[in-house]
Amino acid sequence: MCYADKKLSETKVFKDPVHRYIHVDDQVVWDLVGTAEFQRLRRIKQLGTTYTTFHGAEHSRFGHSLGVYEIIRRMIDDVFTGREGWNPADRLLCLCAALLHDVGHGPFSHSFEKVFAVDHEEFTQRMIVGDTEINNVLKQVSTEFPQQVADIIGKKSNNKLAISMISSQIDADRMDYLLRDAYFTGVSYGKFDLERLLRVMRPLPQGIAVKKSGMHAVEHYIISRYQMYWQVYFHPVTRSAEVLLNSIFKRVRYLYQEEYRFQHQPVHFYSIFDGKISVEDYLQLDENIMMYYFQVWQKEDDTILADLCRRFLHRHLLKYVDFTDDFQKNNWVELEHLCKKAEIDPKYYVVVDSISDLPYDFYRSEDDDGCQPILLLMPDGKLRELSRESHLVEAMSRKEQTDRKLYYPYEMIDDNTHHTEMKSKIRRILDRSK
Ligand code: NI
């Protein structure tokens, strides 16, 4: 029997808090789970700094990746198999793409990628087609197989159905992370009926479609997503921790460029600073290594770096106010100026963070780089884009919501030891925004 079809002598199961059990029958999948690159995901948290707000959110990308795999496995084995529109030869391809879709994530991806211009999607591709343990497993299936898996994840394949299963408005990735993140944060709004959603999905050449009779289950899923974004993912306190991380990374890069003499040389960062990071170097980076550096940098002579690290580790976060257009127009320049005078470097300590989201983003035109929309399969066999059928979804997709916050170091402007006059001016400006 060829490697692609090889089954384990008995099903392996992982106990999982979201799906109860995750089942593995395929030798290829089992071998992928055992690679160093996949095991590294245990050391990267799924939700980055969210644990500073919701202390339960310590779960890793390892569990999420297994969860996405399990949803795809059930979609194929319990719903798609035997149906017209499903090609059984795509099963292993979809399972591997699901399992590996996040393998290129770095530590605290959000800030890390922003500051160092690293792209986790690019690293996912490189880990699949480069010289890695994952590649060694995949190429035993066939020489083209690694590239085929990478093309599904990178949305470059012609296989639209496989892409929509992993990456669309209603893909296995979103379905797992909403349920998983709701479970670990302990909130009650991320839930929806996964079982029912899977049951009403149908495989079509252009992607997954949902039977019209399942529309209300889809609406529930979209409301859950909306709630999770605004109540969990965009939580202003989590973003405050994120702002600190950004500042730490920016400061450490600046110090390196200025040839500052670190007591603890950031050797793991050198190739990133120099803009030529190899897959091998990238694999060394996980959140444990980051935390080690934050620990030792607390003792650095550079007071900004030491202070930022202390704040991050001990959760002395920055406070925030709403940052309105009015505030920007009337107060922003003056505020930056006063902070500099009071020796608070606004580059690291006074930061505007802006986020926005459209709860459901349907295609406006063929040229849009948006996600594949949700298609309803009508009783007459025709397809209709969801928001044309659901008033609720139509209303939710009308307006993009934006939230802008100004983060600042409350204690620094509140202590009266230095620059008292400046600081009270700064306080007055911030009070205007409350
Ligand atoms: Ni994911």
Side-chain angles (χ1 to χ4, degrees):
M1 184 187 278
C2 69
Y3 181 56
D5 298 329
K6 198 171 165 204
K7 300 287 173 197
L8 298 166
S9 56
E10 57 183 24
T11 304
K12 302 272 188 194
V13 287
F14 294 81
K15 189 80 186 86
D16 184 78
V18 177
H19 305 300
R20 288 193 61 235
Y21 290 101
I22 286 165
H23 305 79
V24 179
D25 291 300
D26 299 83
Q27 185 70 46
V28 177
V29 172
W30 184 246
D31 291 345
L32 286 173
V33 172
T35 58
E37 298 90 25
F38 192 77
Q39 291 289 322
R40 166 181 166 275
L41 296 177
R42 291 182 189 271
R43 302 189 297 277
I44 294 181
K45 281 193 278 296
Q46 173 70 11
L47 288 184
T49 58
T50 300
Y51 72 93
T52 56
T53 314
F54 299 93
H55 65 256
E58 297 262 1
H59 55 305
S60 72
R61 294 201 179 268
F62 180 86
H64 163 65
S65 300
L66 284 176
V68 176
Y69 153 84
E70 177 64 11
I71 292 178
I72 290 289
R73 191 196 65 75
R74 282 164 58 184
M75 196 187 285
I76 295 171
D77 292 353
D78 301 349
V79 187
F80 287 4
T81 299
R83 283 190 191 278
E84 198 189 330
W86 173 247
N87 177 4
D90 289 341
R91 182 175 179 275
L92 190 65
L93 180 67
C94 292
L95 293 180
C96 292
L99 191 70
L100 301 175
H101 78 283
D102 272 347
V103 85
H105 267 284
F108 302 113
S109 296
H110 199 69
S111 306
F112 189 79
E113 293 188 7
K114 200 161 137 193
V115 177
F116 297 119
V118 173
D119 175 15
H120 72 264
E121 289 177 7
E122 183 200 323
F123 271 95
T124 300
Q125 304 279 319
R126 285 170 71 181
M127 278 188 209
I128 293 172
V129 298
D131 180 16
T132 57
E133 291 182 22
I134 285 176
N135 183 261
N136 276 338
V137 173
L138 295 174
K139 72 185 181 201
Q140 290 176 59
V141 174
S142 75
T143 38
E144 309 80 48
F145 194 59
Q147 192 61 54
Q148 288 168 357
V149 173
D151 286 348
I152 298 295
I153 299 173
K155 296 187 238 175
K156 290 185 201 116
S157 166
N158 292 327
N159 192 335
K160 291 243 168 58
L161 175 60
I163 291 176
S164 81
M165 289 160 71
I166 315 286
S167 182
S168 64
Q169 289 286 340
I170 191 152
D171 58 14
D173 183 24
R174 282 163 209 239
M175 291 197 278
D176 182 81
Y177 75 60
L178 291 176
L179 294 172
R180 191 168 297 276
D181 299 341
Y183 176 88
F184 282 99
T185 50
V187 300
S188 58
Y189 13 73
K191 310 211 170 78
F192 57 90
D193 192 345
L194 173 66
E195 196 64 44
R196 169 105 181 109
L197 266 187
L198 290 177
R199 291 274 148 217
V200 291
M201 284 182 168
R202 292 294 175 265
L204 296 176
Q206 56 270 62
I208 293 175
V210 180
K211 277 170 69 182
K212 167 76 196 320
S213 59
M215 187 177 83
H216 299 297
V218 180
E219 287 177 340
H220 190 185
Y221 155 86
I222 287 176
I223 295 168
S224 292
R225 179 173 133 74
Y226 173 82
Q227 296 279 3
M228 283 299 281
Y229 269 81
W230 288 99
Q231 313 247 22
V232 175
Y233 304 136
F234 295 160
H235 198 289
V237 173
T238 306
R239 284 155 60 201
S240 178
E242 207 68 55
V243 166
L244 278 180
L245 266 185
N246 272 332
S247 293
I248 292 175
F249 291 145
K250 273 198 255 168
R251 185 66 183 174
V252 82
R253 184 180 56 191
Y254 168 81
L255 291 173
Y256 175 80
Q257 285 163 350
E258 295 296 302
E259 295 179 15
Y260 165 82
R261 288 174 68 91
F262 286 91
Q263 291 174 43
H264 292 274
Q265 291 292 330
V267 285
H268 291 86
F269 285 83
Y270 286 167
S271 58
I272 308 170
F273 292 151
D274 296 336
K276 38 184 185 232
I277 183 165
S278 65
V279 171
E280 202 187 340
D281 291 339
Y282 191 73
L283 283 167
Q284 303 262 315
L285 293 169
D286 57 35
E287 284 170 12
N288 298 7
I289 272 285
M290 291 285 166
M291 287 300 202
Y292 163 78
Y293 279 109
F294 300 159
Q295 282 281 1
V296 295
W297 286 340
Q298 291 182 91
K299 301 268 161 44
E300 282 294 340
D301 298 328
D302 180 69
T303 49
I304 292 182
L305 180 63
D307 177 66
L308 291 169
C309 288
R310 234 173 278 134
R311 283 170 175 275
F312 185 74
L313 285 174
H314 309 311
R315 200 189 174 281
H316 296 158
L317 305 179
L318 303 175
K319 290 253 185 294
Y320 57 87
V321 290
D322 283 325
F323 188 73
T324 58
D325 289 344
D326 254 10
F327 185 88
Q328 179 171 23
K329 209 165 89 203
N330 302 322
N331 305 309
W332 182 229
V333 175
E334 191 189 358
L335 184 68
E336 276 192 306
H337 175 72
L338 286 170
C339 285
K340 277 184 196 146
K341 277 194 158 171
E343 292 180 12
I344 299 168
D345 191 334
K347 261 208 305 296
Y348 304 106
Y349 286 103
V350 186
V351 177
V352 178
D353 182 64
S354 171
I355 44 111
S356 57
D357 182 50
L358 210 54
Y360 172 70
D361 194 6
F362 55 89
Y363 264 155
R364 277 137 234 265
S365 78
E366 282 296 313
D367 307 324
D368 260 4
D369 191 32
C371 247
Q372 287 190 33
I374 299 177
L375 297 173
L376 291 179
L377 183 59
M378 306 304 282
D380 62 3
K382 294 213 173 85
L383 290 171
R384 251 172 104 72
E385 189 275 315
L386 173 67
S387 68
R388 293 178 190 280
E389 202 60 33
S390 162
H391 298 305
L392 198 141
V393 173
E394 199 267 330
M396 287 180 83
S397 44
R398 245 179 254 153
K399 195 164 176 271
E400 190 172 65
Q401 278 193 33
T402 305
D403 181 53
R404 284 196 300 169
K405 296 268 189 270
L406 172 69
Y407 289 89
Y408 65 96
Y410 175 76
E411 317 80 343
M412 281 188 180
I413 57 164
D414 210 41
D415 86 69
N416 285 322
T417 44
H418 300 288
H419 311 289
T420 312
E421 193 197 335
M422 295 306 153
K423 287 177 181 177
S424 57
K425 277 187 189 165
I426 293 171
R427 275 199 301 275
R428 272 204 298 279
I429 292 179
L430 287 167
D431 285 342
R432 271 179 239 158
S433 188
K434 279 184 182 145

